[in-house]
Amino acid sequence: MSKNLFSLEGRVAVVVGGTSGIGRVLALGLADAGADVVATARRAALVEEVAVEIEAKGRKTLRVETDVLDRSSLSAAAEAIQKVFGHIDVVVYCAGINKRVPTIDMSDEDWQRIIDTNLTGAVRTYQVFARPMIARKSGRLIGIASLSSFVGLHEVSAYTASKAGIAGLTRALAVEWAPHGLTVNAIAPGVYRTELNAKLLEGPRGQEFLLRTPMKRYGNLEELVGAAIYLASDASTFVTGQVIAVDGGFLASGVNQ
């Protein structure tokens, strides 16, 4: 082990969905910890923006686009990254979408789009990137779970089902791939203001989240970085199949007053 258990010097990390929200913050946080980081997503302009920020931190990167609904784009990205860096140590899956709608009125198309992006996209990504990791007998896979991996949230049943699926997938793959030297974990954020939920949090739902969060505030996205560094580093070599909540106490909460 390295002298600094939390150092990511010499590691290569790929953040899928790494150009906005949680993904962008984690990509930059991993770079701060010493990793060379490739942040991939669909929009080339955003890929370029984050790549410039990573390089400004003195780290190497690569500009590649991916669509998690398209296996061939993921395979092409993995091949390009391996060609340049020689190996991939860490993959963080951050791609995700949501839509609030009464389930009785939800269309098949909306349901499928959310499940495909949040859950099936994760499976696809893990399959593509885990294969060379299995060959090397080393790798870290990190997903983004949710409070809804554990509790029901009103009128977001597809998102809830997808994130409960991420928790189950994390455990299943941890068991299946542990003999091959891989760890598979996830981070469950509490309530953080992002582009995805900013409008939602302005209403009564935001106040209910605050009431049920013992710390009485929303999280700052930077507060997720420590968990990601931990799961990517030598500090967590015997940790797998876990969903780590970074939620201000939300999931521990019963009566708050």
Side-chain angles (χ1 to χ4, degrees):
M1 287 188 178
S2 62
K3 290 180 181 178
N4 178 357
L5 286 178
F6 296 95
S7 172
L8 299 182
E9 293 282 347
R11 308 285 172 91
V12 177
V14 179
V15 183
V16 177
T19 61
S20 62
I22 289 171
R24 185 179 191 136
V25 170
L26 294 188
L28 297 175
L30 293 173
D32 283 333
D36 293 324
V37 181
V38 178
T40 83
R42 289 180 301 165
R43 291 177 282 181
L46 291 181
V47 169
E48 174 65 27
E49 276 183 24
V50 182
V52 168
E53 290 185 76
I54 290 167
E55 288 170 341
K57 295 178 181 294
R59 305 302 170 193
K60 296 176 184 175
T61 189
L62 193 64
R63 290 151 174 82
V64 289
E65 295 152 52
T66 53
D67 180 351
V68 300
L69 303 183
D70 178 8
R71 182 181 297 273
S72 64
S73 81
L74 292 164
S75 296
E79 188 175 330
I81 296 165
Q82 291 235 113
K83 187 174 182 181
V84 170
F85 292 97
H87 60 93
I88 298 167
D89 300 289
V90 181
V91 172
V92 187
Y93 188 80
C94 293
I97 57 173
N98 195 5
K99 181 176 183 178
R100 182 176 181 178
V101 61
T103 304
I104 200 77
D105 299 322
M106 176 168 261
S107 68
D108 287 351
E109 292 74 21
D110 280 340
W111 176 276
Q112 201 60 53
R113 185 170 57 93
I114 292 168
I115 297 295
D116 281 349
T117 302
N118 296 3
L119 181 56
T120 310
V123 176
R124 215 174 269 125
T125 298
Y126 289 169
Q127 286 174 324
V128 166
F129 285 92
R131 193 172 296 277
M133 289 179 171
I134 288 170
R136 287 181 69 226
K137 295 284 186 183
S138 176
R140 304 295 178 86
L141 302 175
I142 304 169
I144 301 300
S146 166
L147 296 178
S148 64
S149 300
F150 303 95
V151 298
L153 300 181
H154 188 58
E155 292 184 343
V156 286
S157 62
Y159 182 82
T160 298
S162 71
K163 292 301 185 177
I166 286 290
L169 179 68
T170 297
R171 290 186 286 268
L173 294 183
V175 171
E176 189 171 342
W177 290 345
H180 302 288
L182 276 62
T183 67
V184 188
N185 295 288
I187 299 167
V191 187
Y192 296 74
R193 189 182 294 276
T194 67
E195 293 175 14
L196 197 67
N197 68 8
K199 188 175 179 182
L200 199 68
L201 295 182
E202 290 169 6
R205 192 167 186 140
Q207 293 308 303
E208 183 177 352
F209 275 129
L210 286 176
L211 183 67
R212 296 187 59 184
T213 301
M215 287 191 177
K216 301 303 180 194
R217 65 174 176 86
Y218 301 133
N220 300 311
L221 289 176
E222 290 74 16
E223 291 177 296
L224 293 168
V225 172
I229 292 171
Y230 170 66
L231 292 174
S233 73
D234 283 343
S236 63
T237 51
F238 202 52
V239 177
T240 196
Q242 302 305 304
V243 180
I244 297 177
V246 186
D247 67 352
F250 184 100
L251 291 172
S253 176
V255 176
N256 280 284
Q257 54 190 333

